[in-house]
Amino acid sequence: MNEFLVVGNPNSGKTTLFNELTKSNEHTGNWHGVTIDEKKAKIINSDYLLIDLPGTYSLSSFSFEEQITIDKVLTSNSSIINLCDINTLKRNLYLTLQLIEAEKDFRVVLNLMKSSSDLIDYKMLSSLLNRAVLIYDADKCSIEDDLLNSVNFSNTTQHLESIPYISNFLKLKDVLIENAKNINISPIFCAIKYAENDEKIISKLNLSTEQVRQANEICLENNLSIDTISQMRFNYIDELLEKCSYKNKKITGYSKLDKLLLNKYFALPMFMLIVCLIYVITFKSLGAFLSNYLNHFFNSFVIDTSTKFLANVHASKLLTDFICNGLLNGITAVLSFLPQVTLLYFCIAILEESGYLSRIAFLFEDIFRFIGLSGKSIFTFILSFGCSTTAMLTSRNLEDENSRVKTVMLSPYMTCSAKVPLFTILTAAFFLGQPILIFALYLLGIIVALIVSFFLNKGKLKSNKNNFILELPNYRIATAKSLINSTLNNSLAFVSKVGSVLLLSLIVIWFLQNFDFAFRYTNSNADTNSILQCFSKVLAPLFVPLGFGNWGAATALLTGVVAKEVIVSTIAMLNGIIPTESGNNYIISSLFLSTSCVSFNAASAISFMVFALLYTPCISSISVMKSEIGLKRTLKSIVIQFVIAYILSFITYKLFSLDKIWLIVLSIIAVITIVFIAYCSYVKHSKCAHCNKKCSINCCK
Amino acid sequence: MKFIQNKTYVIKCKNFSSKEMKRLSELGFNYNTEIKLLAVSLLKGSIIFLVRGSAVCLTHKLVKQLDLMML
């Protein structure tokens, strides 16, 4: 099957074009690095396969995702669709020129991005580039037919050599020509890459010492370096655009709104305001209202009706218990939080589509560089509030490997949407549903992640490079279509998880809870030891110091490793109360009863939330983490998370239970820590001015 | 080096050999190119410049390497 590769600068609209041509539903966003791997799909009503590749500024790789694109472009003979944003054409044509240098068969597609096609004489551009140039307007017309029928231009080599700056590389080309042919890459391209000191191409060329000597001499004679070459390309682009009457004089990536949102003093308060707004919408106003309404519907309609129906048909106690207690209680307990999860995803989608996400990266670079992260890590962290499993993959756009590893290791500390049901129920039960407490838990996750990063940065994972480079995208009013698509996809993933992982877990948990080792039905409320009780009672003493040493809580945490949504379902199922009143009060009231399998008081509830926030991530996260950073680091991360969760949960419990002795002990530890940090800071700042050693001031004297 | 908003600077660096500087030159930060400072973060850790019509955010460490001169 014939292939088309979609290649272009980051954020030029490649995935939007891909979605339109293949009727796919791939994730899009107004920030750099949304696509992190190649995606394939068939163009509708054709025999062509379309491959969407991660964005790149040039054919020199800078990050893992860019390397994927470059390898594919250089090794494949497929036709290329070079998508260019018409507003930033100057920068986009830089990659186009490199495709010409590589003598690739490609078409240029100008993405209008809400601008007018009058900005440029695209027919003139087509003749100057010796390639078909097409106009693409995502809002109006389909480009499909034009794209498939566009003509391949011939004499690409002749055209290439007619470009003025190429003449500088003809001598160098002659030196490398045989080696370039051996690796099936354009000789001119190889010559330019040699002058740019591209290590990957140079090693592939396998040049002899004599060839290296000749090539270096030519580079020196003609003053060929990366800077002069890029200047040559930009000068040629300026010439091209002048000939094509390019009229765009607008600044891209900076607008009047940025004077406020990126202001030195207002930027952080504005960010906090936006975050607070998201929390109020999700947890206090609309989200809470919709969630209560859905909960009422589930209880009064789904569970009540099912219970009555099963009673009417004289179903056995076992069957009634399995369906109502085992499945419906667990599933509806999680599904009733769907509105809050959906609203959270909707808000994240707005951040992604608006272009504000890149501004947040700018704001956080200040803080993040101190702890060995990149400003771009914020992309992964913010997406982790939805689901850390998918968010971890976005870390691939980080250039520094150690920053990338740390970002992956820290993303599970962010409160993902799966933890929302647990926090909401426990907060409603013990803290009058205060959203400020949920906000504090979100904040705790972030603060712990930053502290862990600080310490990781002191060890083997120290980030040596601080190379934050980010092109800011224009602000964009998110279209209803893209917002609905993004929110719907994520919410459906949440629902499908409930219908698959959660359902299966509930069946297994119900079985283990209701049967003993002789496979006799024990009835969960009776005082007989089920298989689950036997296992959990071994584990429960571990959590006694944290305040929730009952076997039910231990079980809920254990099942939470499968997926965090399962924690609430397990609690609902273990407490086994058939609802008799509306709302989720039946779960809440069961948490106060000491006879329930899972019961808390205020101190143990908050301790449980802190533990659930920070302990071992879910299986799918662990699996992605392993593929991204390897088994050893994954295991290390899991152990660190468990230890931190245990310690912080213990401290929280002691603080909230107002245990005087522990308060005194913790205060002493806090004072010692502060004094130690202050001392370290003093020593660091009092380096000797002469030998720069970490010792007393001016030791050399 | 004083960073003043809306001031124009000219790049005086002649060494674009490192990987990061290579990327900068590809983004239009070349020798003798004029760039305009658009915004500085609170702790001056990152700075936004207008280069060849686009806003690009850079870390302070890289800005130092560009060897800027205020016009």
Side-chain angles (χ1 to χ4, degrees):
Chain A
M1 191 184 273
N2 290 324
E3 281 181 353
F4 270 122
L5 310 178
V6 187
V7 176
N9 278 196
N11 209 28
S12 57
K14 297 177 292 302
T15 307
T16 308
L17 178 72
F18 177 82
N19 283 344
E20 188 175 316
L21 292 177
T22 61
K23 304 291 172 225
S24 304
N25 223 352
E26 293 296 342
H27 184 203
T28 57
N30 187 16
W31 51 283
H32 293 197
V34 182
T35 310
I36 33 88
D37 214 342
E38 66 172 58
K39 292 182 180 95
K40 292 178 185 180
K42 201 172 153 262
I43 298 178
I44 296 295
N45 302 327
S46 82
D47 293 329
Y48 284 92
L49 190 70
L50 199 63
I51 302 177
D52 183 23
L53 293 167
T56 181
Y57 288 109
S58 71
L59 293 181
S60 310
S61 78
F62 198 58
S63 62
F64 176 76
E65 41 157 20
E66 285 182 350
Q67 193 56 49
I68 294 174
T69 305
I70 293 161
D71 286 344
K72 189 78 186 174
V73 168
L74 292 181
T75 54
S76 165
N77 287 323
S78 311
S79 291
I80 293 169
I81 297 169
N82 175 214
L83 195 67
C84 297
D85 176 356
I86 201 162
N87 297 309
T88 51
L89 207 49
K90 218 177 243 189
R91 177 152 305 138
N92 281 250
L93 285 177
Y94 194 86
L95 177 65
T96 310
L97 281 188
Q98 298 203 352
L99 292 173
I100 292 174
E101 289 162 12
E103 295 180 61
K104 289 287 165 187
D105 162 31
F106 71 96
R107 295 127 176 85
V108 175
V109 175
L110 298 179
N111 191 355
L112 291 185
M113 297 269 194
K114 315 253 176 215
S115 298
S116 161
S117 58
D118 298 337
L119 277 180
I120 192 164
D121 179 355
Y122 66 93
K123 285 176 185 160
M124 172 62 93
L125 185 67
S126 171
S127 70
L128 291 170
L129 292 175
N130 196 40
R131 302 292 193 286
V133 175
L134 308 166
I135 295 286
Y136 168 59
D137 186 350
D139 295 336
K140 288 177 189 166
C141 57
S142 171
I143 196 173
E144 196 179 322
D145 293 334
D146 295 340
L147 199 64
L148 300 179
N149 298 327
S150 58
V151 192
N152 284 343
F153 282 52
S154 55
N155 298 328
T156 50
T157 313
Q158 206 180 332
H159 165 255
L160 173 64
E161 293 187 0
S162 71
I163 296 174
Y165 72 85
I166 295 296
S167 59
N168 294 302
F169 301 94
L170 293 178
K171 267 190 193 171
L172 193 56
K173 181 198 87 174
D174 292 338
V175 176
L176 316 170
I177 191 157
E178 289 307 318
N179 305 62
K181 278 179 186 168
N182 288 342
I183 57 168
N184 205 18
I185 300 180
S186 153
I188 287 280
F189 181 75
C190 287
I192 298 174
K193 286 286 145 191
Y194 184 90
E196 282 182 349
N197 198 19
D198 188 308
E199 287 164 9
K200 281 188 179 132
I201 296 283
I202 293 172
S203 70
K204 272 185 189 174
L205 282 170
N206 198 18
L207 298 171
S208 66
T209 323
E210 179 54 23
Q211 279 177 309
V212 171
R213 193 192 58 77
Q214 284 180 15
N216 287 346
E217 255 177 33
I218 296 169
C219 289
L220 212 62
E221 266 173 34
N222 296 287
N223 189 23
L224 299 176
S225 68
I226 172 72
D227 185 51
T228 50
I229 296 167
S230 79
Q231 287 206 37
M232 286 176 200
R233 287 193 186 117
F234 277 118
N235 291 343
Y236 183 61
I237 291 168
D238 285 339
E239 261 177 56
L240 280 180
L241 292 178
E242 208 179 312
K243 283 178 188 166
C244 301
S245 325
Y246 184 58
K247 295 184 196 83
N248 188 30
K249 301 285 176 209
K250 276 189 290 181
I251 296 171
T252 53
Y254 194 83
S255 66
K256 283 178 186 167
L257 194 58
D258 283 318
K259 285 182 181 160
L260 179 70
L261 292 178
L262 295 181
N263 181 281
K264 208 186 233 185
Y265 305 107
F266 295 124
L268 274 173
M270 288 305 292
F271 170 72
M272 291 308 290
L273 196 72
I274 290 167
V275 170
C276 289
L277 195 69
I278 292 173
Y279 282 94
V280 169
I281 292 170
T282 312
F283 295 107
K284 188 71 183 167
S285 54
L286 190 60
F289 169 75
L290 291 173
S291 189
N292 282 339
Y293 193 78
L294 194 64
N295 201 21
H296 179 75
F297 166 77
F298 281 139
N299 290 327
S300 61
F301 185 75
V302 180
I303 299 179
D304 276 2
T305 312
S306 308
T307 314
K308 279 173 193 163
F309 173 76
L310 289 167
N312 285 342
V313 296
H314 304 292
S316 66
K317 192 173 182 305
L318 181 78
L319 186 69
T320 310
D321 188 35
F322 173 67
I323 293 175
C324 297
N325 251 349
L327 301 183
L328 292 179
N329 251 1
I331 288 175
T332 56
V334 173
L335 273 187
S336 57
F337 290 94
L338 184 64
Q340 287 180 332
V341 171
T342 306
L343 277 170
L344 188 65
Y345 277 121
F346 182 76
C347 293
I348 293 175
I350 292 178
L351 285 181
E352 280 192 74
E353 292 289 332
S354 63
Y356 185 58
L357 211 56
S358 300
R359 272 77 181 175
I360 303 175
F362 162 75
L363 291 183
F364 280 85
E365 169 63 16
D366 264 352
I367 303 162
F368 281 12
R369 76 195 157 97
F370 281 119
I371 51 170
L373 292 172
S374 160
K376 287 183 194 172
S377 303
I378 202 78
F379 298 153
T380 309
F381 293 158
I382 286 183
L383 296 182
S384 293
F385 291 128
C387 175
S388 60
T389 310
T390 46
M392 278 176 197
L393 299 172
T394 58
S395 67
R396 291 183 188 176
N397 66 14
L398 296 177
E399 296 84 5
D400 181 53
E401 178 60 13
N402 285 349
S403 294
R404 194 184 75 80
V405 171
K406 274 180 281 184
T407 306
V408 171
M409 286 171 88
L410 299 176
S411 60
Y413 290 84
M414 305 299 135
T415 307
C416 69
S417 61
K419 291 170 192 165
V420 168
L422 175 72
F423 292 169
T424 314
I425 282 182
L426 289 184
T427 312
F430 297 97
F431 304 96
L432 305 168
Q434 286 297 325
I436 191 77
L437 185 70
I438 300 179
F439 185 77
L441 286 165
Y442 270 79
L443 208 62
L444 178 71
I446 297 166
I447 292 169
V448 172
L450 299 185
I451 294 170
V452 172
S453 176
F454 175 80
F455 285 107
L456 288 176
N457 198 43
K458 297 282 170 199
K460 282 182 187 172
L461 289 175
K462 185 175 171 60
S463 299
N464 296 317
K465 295 171 188 170
N466 207 334
N467 46 16
F468 180 66
I469 303 169
L470 183 71
E471 193 186 358
L472 297 179
N474 272 339
Y475 283 114
R476 201 162 69 191
I477 296 170
T479 59
K481 190 183 163 191
S482 62
L483 285 181
I484 290 169
N485 265 347
S486 173
T487 311
L488 209 62
N489 281 345
N490 288 319
S491 302
L492 284 177
F494 180 83
V495 174
S496 74
K497 212 171 172 186
V498 172
S500 54
V501 179
L502 187 69
L503 189 68
L504 197 70
S505 308
L506 286 174
I507 293 170
V508 173
I509 297 163
W510 180 84
F511 176 80
L512 295 174
Q513 193 213 351
N514 287 281
F515 287 84
D516 61 14
F517 281 103
F519 295 108
R520 280 178 309 215
Y521 179 52
T522 59
N523 187 353
S524 55
N525 290 326
D527 202 19
T528 42
N529 275 346
S530 64
I531 302 170
L532 192 65
Q533 272 174 289
C534 292
F535 277 123
S536 300
K537 278 178 179 171
V538 175
L539 203 65
L542 182 69
F543 301 109
V544 171
L546 312 186
F548 46 88
N550 53 63
W551 72 270
T555 308
L557 289 173
L558 196 67
T559 55
V561 177
V562 177
K564 293 290 177 269
E565 295 91 337
V566 187
I567 299 179
V568 163
S569 304
T570 308
I571 293 174
M573 198 181 79
L574 291 180
N575 281 1
I577 297 160
I578 304 286
T580 51
E581 47 185 312
S582 62
N584 58 9
N585 294 343
Y586 72 94
I587 301 179
I588 291 172
S589 49
S590 76
L591 295 170
F592 289 97
L593 300 171
S594 57
T595 49
S596 297
C597 297
V598 187
S599 62
F600 298 107
N601 56 36
S604 62
I606 195 157
S607 165
F608 187 80
M609 283 194 276
V610 169
F611 193 84
L613 166 73
L614 300 167
Y615 86 121
T616 317
C618 66
I619 283 176
S620 51
S621 287
I622 293 173
S623 148
V624 174
M625 203 188 262
K626 183 183 157 269
S627 69
E628 290 296 308
I629 61 172
L631 182 65
K632 203 176 155 189
R633 280 172 172 159
T634 304
L635 291 175
K636 188 178 164 187
S637 178
I638 292 170
V639 171
I640 292 172
Q641 267 193 266
F642 190 87
V643 171
I644 290 173
Y646 197 91
I647 294 169
L648 285 183
S649 185
F650 175 76
I651 294 171
T652 310
Y653 179 62
K654 292 299 173 193
L655 283 176
F656 275 78
S657 56
L658 296 173
D659 191 331
K660 280 179 189 168
I661 298 167
W662 276 104
L663 276 179
I664 294 165
V665 172
L666 290 172
S667 305
I668 294 168
I669 293 172
V671 170
I672 293 170
T673 312
I674 291 167
V675 170
F676 179 72
I677 291 170
Y679 174 75
C680 291
S681 170
Y682 169 76
V683 169
K684 196 180 172 188
H685 284 98
S686 57
K687 279 181 186 175
C688 169
H690 300 277
C691 65
N692 204 29
K693 278 180 187 168
K694 279 183 192 175
C695 52
S696 57
I697 303 168
N698 296 333
C699 63
C700 296
K701 288 183 179 177
Chain B
M1 183 84 220
K2 235 183 173 186
F3 295 115
I4 305 167
Q5 209 168 342
N6 291 325
K7 277 274 175 196
T8 304
Y9 296 79
V10 66
I11 297 167
K12 284 291 162 200
C13 171
K14 285 182 179 172
N15 181 16
F16 284 84
S17 57
S18 72
K19 208 175 175 186
E20 296 82 28
M21 295 301 280
K22 212 166 155 182
R23 172 45 48 96
L24 283 186
S25 72
E26 289 176 345
L27 287 172
F29 291 88
N30 304 119
Y31 175 70
N32 258 346
T33 308
E34 287 183 12
I35 56 176
K36 190 171 156 186
L37 196 148
L38 294 176
V40 187
S41 66
L42 186 63
L43 302 175
K44 293 179 184 172
S46 42
I47 299 158
I48 300 174
F49 286 105
L50 175 69
V51 56
R52 297 187 196 264
S54 303
V56 179
C57 176
L58 302 181
T59 190
H60 182 251
K61 244 183 183 176
L62 283 175
V63 177
K64 273 206 302 201
Q65 289 181 53
L66 286 174
D67 201 7
L68 297 181
M69 197 178 83
M70 202 195 294
L71 282 186

